[in-house]
């Protein structure tokens, strides 16, 4: 593609662009290098390396100088995204963006599953990577950088994917990563405190989320809102005031109205009304919030052109997304061990209240908080966990912070719990939680979900909550621990 076509500007010197990169190490001959300003490092520093590697053009902020053709833009991140959408095409014809603090991964997964059951070649992009028929790609971010994102969409379209749902994070919206994607549907789950280490205020965080609807959703597209989720009613009202097409889901939803959600031995019995019809389904998922996610996904699929009466029977076939209230182990005669990605105060509280109806005994929760992230939410995480019967505070991804200081902050909030323990080593904490289980108890391991690594300092070591739970259950069985559990045999670490 010629630079003039890529940039949308007529040029006397008009080289062929063979690729795009925002990392100078990935530049090859014929590439355009995007020298993006960063929080810690300015990409302009790497222009000489990019030129040495063969860059024939540079995209940069005004005033930045290069030896090759330079395109100046006050918003170089957005310009790169728009260029990437031109360079890497086509994309799947139907694109859905899902944003919100909690539930994005499940909604995206459920939408892709429903499309697939309806005979559509569907894909998903998000925390779990990019996937579709005959396509898998791991991703470093929930919403990838523009070059990776648009290249991924092109590759998915090439293998036949026609419908794709993707998670759109607040970071990505603030950094214009998803600009250039032609969203025909945008969906909202909820908004609660998170990422205030990046967004200056909660209002700024909400404003970033709203960009999906105000800036990226096509003019004739549909905004689908969970009005039971925090912030949902406000967003729906704002979109209607902007003359947008809005479909709401929830107890007061106008598209799908939830009438009743009852826990069952195997999941949930959900009653709702849609298309002037009352529907009752057995949903094989634990937690009322999963019913919200499933019905939001059903609304997405309906908005993409399918009849709700064809979609409703398929809800009973949904599988939970990995690491989202996922049952990873069972202790015979005692209870189950679940892994959940809950890493915000609201998500922790929701997870506990969701699993309570499925619990005959106690809820034991294991959680921590990430380092180099929103520190204000740490005591709130502990306070949310205090609604469980037993709390074990451990390390999450401490990163470059002192793990004991992070735990102390979480412990401060968890002080209201009747039974609270601090065990720094996450593996030891999981073993302790398993050993403590008695008949009817449930163990909920929160915070990391599907993740397969733990970041300590600047290194990431292999670690999976699910795998550790399975090992802990096997060790308990080998030691012959009975239904009464360990009653305080913690297997190492600090306790208070």
């Amino acid at each position: 593609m010629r630079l003039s076509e890529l940039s949308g500007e007529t040029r006397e010197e008009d080289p062929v662009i063979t690729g795009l990169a925002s990392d100078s190490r990935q530049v090859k001959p014929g590439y355009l290098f995007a020298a993006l300003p960063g929080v810690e490092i300015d990409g302009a520093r790497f222009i000489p390396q990019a030129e040495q590697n063969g860059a024939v053009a540079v995209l940069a902020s005004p005033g930045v100088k290069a030896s090759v053709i330079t395109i100046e833009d006050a918003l170089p991140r957005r310009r790169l995204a728009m260029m990437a959408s031109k360079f890497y095409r086509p994309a799947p014809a139907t694109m859905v963006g899902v944003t919100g603090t909690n539930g994005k991964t499940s909604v995206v997964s459920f939408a892709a599953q429903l499309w697939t059951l309806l005979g559509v070649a569907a894909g998903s992009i998000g925390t779990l990577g990019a996937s579709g028929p005959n396509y898998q790609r791991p991703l470093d971010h929930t919403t990838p950088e523009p070059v990776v994102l648009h290249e991924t969409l092109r590759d998915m379209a090439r293998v036949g994917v026609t419908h794709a749902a993707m998670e759109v994070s607040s970071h990505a919206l603030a950094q214009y990563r998803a600009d250039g994607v032609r969203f025909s549907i945008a969906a909202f789950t909820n908004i609660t405190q998170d990422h205030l280490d990046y967004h200056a205020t909660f209002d700024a965080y909400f404003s970033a989320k709203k960009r999906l609807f105000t800036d990226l959703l096509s003019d004739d597209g549909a905004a689908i809102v969970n009005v039971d989720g925090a912030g949902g009613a406000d967003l729906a009202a704002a979109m209607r005031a902007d003359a947008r097409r809005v479909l709401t889901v929830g107890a007061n939803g106008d598209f799908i109205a939830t009438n009743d959600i009852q826990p069952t031995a195997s999941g949930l019995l959900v009653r709702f009304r849609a298309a002037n019809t009352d529907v009752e389904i057995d949903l094989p998922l634990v937690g009322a919030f999963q019913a919200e996610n499933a019905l939001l996904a059903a609304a997405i699929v309906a908005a993409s052109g399918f009849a709700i009466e064809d979609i409703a029977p398929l809800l009973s076939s949904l599988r939970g997304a990995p690491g989202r209230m996922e049952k990873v182990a069972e202790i015979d005669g005692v209870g189950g061990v679940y892994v959940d990605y809950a890493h915000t105060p609201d998500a922790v509280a929701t997870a506990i209240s969701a699993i309570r109806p499925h619990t005959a005994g106690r809820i034991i929760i294991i959680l921590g908080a990430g380092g180099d992230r929103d520190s204000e939410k740490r005591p709130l995480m502990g306070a949310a966990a205090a609604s469980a019967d037993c709390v074990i505070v451990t390390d999450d991804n401490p990163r470059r912070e002192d793990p004991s200081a992070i735990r102390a902050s979480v412990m401060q909030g968890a002080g209201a719990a009747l039974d609270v323990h601090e065990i720094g080593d996450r593996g030891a904490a999981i073993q302790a939680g398993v050993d403590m289980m008695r008949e009817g108890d449930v163990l909920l391991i929160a915070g990391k979900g599907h993740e397969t690594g733990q970041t300590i300092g600047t290194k990431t070591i292999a670690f999976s909550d699910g795998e550790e739970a399975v090992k802990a259950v096997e060790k308990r069985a080998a030691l012959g621990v009975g239904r009464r559990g360990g009653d305080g045999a913690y297997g190492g670490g600090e306790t208070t």
Side-chain angles (χ1 to χ4, degrees), residues 39-56:
V39 176
E40 298 180 357
I41 301 176
D42 190 342
R45 289 175 45 187
F46 301 99
I47 291 175
Q49 181 182 0
E51 292 176 342
Q52 184 177 359
N53 288 345
V56 295

Side-chain angles (χ1 to χ4, degrees), residues 261-276:
I261 302 172
Q262 293 292 332
T264 67
S266 58
L268 301 165
L269 178 65
V270 183
R271 298 182 179 93
F272 63 93
R273 185 170 180 79
N276 297 315

Side-chain angles (χ1 to χ4, degrees), residues 166-184:
M166 62 176 282
E167 299 179 54
V168 190
S169 69
S170 62
H171 286 75
L173 288 161
Q175 296 172 6
Y176 307 102
R177 289 186 213 161
D179 284 54
V181 179
R182 295 168 179 82
F183 291 110
S184 56

Side-chain angles (χ1 to χ4, degrees), residues 379-394:
L380 301 178
M381 294 276 288
S387 62
D389 302 289
C390 176
V391 180
I392 301 175
V393 176
T394 189

Side-chain angles (χ1 to χ4, degrees), residues 391-414:
V391 180
I392 301 175
V393 176
T394 189
D395 291 341
D396 190 286
N397 291 316
R399 299 183 178 90
R400 294 172 295 180
E401 288 195 60
D402 177 7
S404 63
I406 298 174
R407 294 197 304 272
S409 185
V410 179
M411 287 288 292
Q412 179 185 1

Side-chain angles (χ1 to χ4, degrees), residues 52 105 136 181 185 234 265 276 303 318-319 322 352 363 369 388 393 397-398 402 412 420:
Q52 184 177 359
T105 302
Q136 294 287 333
V181 179
I185 299 169
D234 291 340
N276 297 315
L318 289 178
R319 304 182 310 277
I352 293 171
I363 296 176
V393 176
N397 291 316
D402 177 7
Q412 179 185 1
V420 58

Side-chain angles (χ1 to χ4, degrees), residues 4 20 29 148 262 347 354 409 448 475 477:
S4 58
L20 310 176
V148 173
Q262 293 292 332
S409 185
K448 293 177 63 60
K475 183 176 180 180

